[in-house]
Amino acid sequence: MCGVFGISAPARDVARLTYFGLFALQHRGQESAGIAVSEQGRLTGLRDLGLVAQVFDEQKLSGLHGELAIGHTRYSTTGSNAWANAQPLLHHGSARTVALGHNGNLINAGELRTEITGRLATSSDSEVIAALISNDERPLAEAVAAAITRLEGAATVVGLADGCLFGFRDPHGFRPLVLGRLGDDPVLASETCALDLVGATFEREIRPGELVIAGPDGLHTEQAIPEAGRGALCIFEFFYLARPDTRLAGVEVHGARVRMGERLAEEAPVDADLVLPIPDSGTPAAIGFSRATGIPFSEGLIKNRYIHRTFIQPDQGMRDQGIRMKFNPLAELAGKRLVIVDDSIVRGSTTRQIVQMLFDAGAAEVHVRISSPPIISPCFYGIDLASEDEMIAAGNTVEGVREAIGATTLAYLSLDGLQAATRRPETALCRACLTKEYPTRVPDDPAKLRFETARA
Ligand code: SF4
């Protein structure tokens, strides 16, 4: 999970615009943030651990000058090397220096690393992409197009090199990338919500396998992988990852999630007094469930919105408070039959704690409704789900999961129901963590891959 942004605008403050673009993409990664600028072909970057507003202040932004900029927000594994893997990364190769921001996970990074001569400063798969481009003596467009053909897995990328901004999506298009315009100036962003925030108009989505280059000669686009087709956009983007106000493949995500809740109500109705979401990701589906059943919607659980990964770690006594650090139930829930709606269950521990908290608050019944099918298999394309043995639904029945989370009843949305809510054909989406039908080969040693490559 990462957010990327890029802009080519010689007459504008590109670093400031990128800062605001990243601000809109903060939900895609809260571990680190960075911006790189190109001024007359000279690259400068600034990146650090923390939220966008923690990493940058007025002074830092005013030191970043240029005609082009890219930015990145990152969610990854934690650890001592996390700073080194913050992006945009800068890579000096034999042909050029490249600044690069990457969203996704490559599944052949290990193989590519063995081919690359020269030092790699990080354990990140993203640096492999930068190295391929920076060591290729051909003109930039040819070098990037050649790199795309070498990548297996997920790579939505923005970069700077040779006085140009470039961006591309891998042939499956697992992660989104859109092209917008601020006046005539091209803007690239993971999601349309970032275009909205900087005042850019949406032009179109970058197609799977397509490359875009913007520079002094204007905008050049080419289909680097002609046979890419409609690709395999991640269905998780629809039910969890993307911001609700984003439009994915022409579909506003909030509306899709409301439809998921409506369909869930049709598929698994229940007699109850209140419908409440697990905020914030369950909110649109809970609205849909409430609308379809006529059961009143309640905020029910009040969320502390200021907890994030850089939060000071609580001591053991407070950790025992568990989920109460994050949610607190309203008194109106006492004695009621509740339906709680969430977008997904992965390990089940959070859901179990919430169900228990609601019973402790006096709920008479707690019916859990999930607006996606059971997650049964890992993701190799950039979403840190968990390994299969940590997934509560893997190798388990719905009744087994219900028992484990302590709910009165449990129901998941069907795969057909989820698919219909996206208004996208089945062949245009990746659904592998729900079906085990992967659109690429499965890595031989996924555990090793997760260790060696940085999730972006
Ligand atoms: S495996 Fe799941 S999370 Fe990963 S890209 Fe496919 S649908 Fe998305």
Side-chain angles (χ1 to χ4, degrees):
M1 302 204 300
C2 292
V4 295
F5 186 89
I7 183 165
S8 166
R12 301 179 194 268
D13 184 345
V14 288
R16 186 172 300 265
L17 286 161
T18 302
Y19 170 85
F20 285 110
L22 293 183
F23 197 64
L25 298 171
Q26 186 72 84
H27 62 289
R28 296 186 72 89
Q30 292 106 47
E31 186 172 299
S32 70
I35 295 174
V37 291
S38 169
E39 184 177 28
Q40 308 288 325
R42 193 169 53 86
L43 298 178
T44 312
L46 202 160
R47 60 199 168 118
D48 208 343
L49 302 181
L51 301 173
V52 178
Q54 292 171 317
V55 171
F56 293 99
D57 57 24
E58 192 65 47
Q59 196 183 0
K60 287 176 181 156
L61 273 184
S62 59
L64 291 170
H65 305 286
E67 310 84 40
L68 315 165
I70 59 168
H72 189 265
T73 58
R74 184 165 196 267
Y75 180 98
S76 73
T77 52
T78 53
S80 58
N81 65 345
W83 185 88
N85 284 333
Q87 297 187 21
L89 57 87
L90 247 65
H91 189 86
H92 307 283
S94 57
R96 57 180 62 86
T97 297
V98 172
L100 186 132
H102 171 209
N103 176 199
N105 244 30
L106 297 183
I107 60 172
N108 65 337
E111 291 143 48
L112 293 173
R113 283 177 85 88
T114 60
E115 285 178 28
I116 291 166
T117 52
R119 205 171 68 87
L120 293 177
T122 71
S123 60
S124 146
D125 52 349
S126 311
E127 195 180 9
V128 174
I129 306 172
L132 285 173
I133 298 167
S134 66
N135 289 324
D136 192 322
E137 304 288 340
R138 287 171 285 186
L140 181 65
E142 285 178 48
V144 179
I148 299 171
T149 65
R150 305 296 317 282
L151 308 178
E152 280 185 63
T156 281
V157 167
V158 293
L160 301 172
D162 297 0
C164 294
L165 163 72
F166 64 88
F168 65 82
R169 287 173 81 196
D170 63 77
H172 289 96
F174 288 106
R175 306 279 149 234
L177 186 66
V178 292
L179 172 66
R181 294 276 182 178
L182 187 57
D184 288 334
D185 297 325
V187 181
L188 295 169
S190 292
E191 295 185 30
T192 59
C193 64
L195 301 181
D196 296 339
L197 193 145
V198 301
T201 53
F202 170 76
E203 192 162 301
R204 66 178 178 83
E205 298 191 342
I206 303 302
R207 288 184 287 274
E210 186 183 13
L211 157 68
V212 181
I213 297 192
D217 301 330
L219 191 72
H220 161 84
T221 69
E222 70 179 70
Q223 192 62 35
I225 311 281
E227 62 280 13
R230 280 187 297 199
L233 178 64
C234 168
I235 203 165
F236 235 82
E237 298 272 354
F238 281 93
F239 66 80
Y240 171 71
L241 184 50
R243 228 170 76 158
D245 52 336
T246 277
R247 296 172 301 284
L248 278 177
V251 173
E252 188 170 72
V253 169
H254 182 271
R257 290 178 187 165
V258 171
R259 287 193 292 280
M260 289 168 204
E262 290 170 344
R263 175 78 178 241
L264 187 54
E266 271 174 42
E267 292 182 4
V270 60
D271 263 344
D273 305 309
L274 291 173
V275 174
L276 50 141
I278 308 294
D280 297 310
S281 52
T283 301
I287 291 170
F289 196 97
S290 167
R291 212 179 264 176
T293 55
I295 302 170
F297 178 91
S298 163
E299 274 200 70
L301 285 168
I302 302 304
K303 181 181 179 185
N304 187 328
R305 294 176 194 285
Y306 304 100
I307 290 188
H308 50 73
R309 286 170 68 96
T310 51
F311 191 66
I312 292 169
Q313 288 300 309
D315 64 20
Q316 191 55 47
M318 294 195 68
R319 216 172 277 155
D320 292 342
Q321 290 266 73
I323 205 71
R324 282 191 177 273
M325 294 287 291
K326 204 168 175 189
F327 300 112
N328 210 15
L330 294 177
E332 71 171 16
L333 305 184
K336 302 282 194 326
R337 298 169 301 164
L338 308 177
V339 183
I340 61 168
V341 182
D342 204 358
D343 59 89
S344 53
I345 303 179
V346 182
R347 290 178 173 85
S349 48
T350 304
T351 315
R352 183 173 58 243
Q353 289 181 65
I354 289 173
V355 168
Q356 187 58 51
M357 185 171 67
L358 293 169
F359 277 126
D360 290 347
E365 297 171 3
V366 179
H367 303 273
V368 176
R369 295 293 179 269
I370 302 297
S371 63
S372 66
I375 295 168
I376 53 169
S377 204
C379 174
F380 306 119
Y381 313 122
I383 304 261
D384 184 12
L385 287 176
S387 59
E388 197 170 324
D389 55 5
E390 295 169 311
M391 293 174 172
I392 193 169
N396 206 349
T397 60
V398 174
E399 175 54 19
V401 177
R402 183 206 66 74
E403 204 174 312
I405 63 173
T408 310
T409 67
L410 166 68
Y412 292 90
L413 180 61
S414 67
L415 189 58
D416 284 349
L418 174 63
Q419 188 72 52
T422 68
R423 295 188 171 154
R424 297 285 296 158
E426 183 184 323
T427 51
L429 295 174
C430 175
R431 319 183 301 177
C433 51
L434 312 173
T435 62
K436 296 195 174 191
E437 290 164 15
Y438 289 89
T440 67
R441 72 184 167 106
V442 173
D444 300 334
D445 187 352
K448 184 159 175 267
L449 175 96
R450 282 200 300 278
F451 177 69
E452 285 193 348
T453 63
R455 279 178 286 276

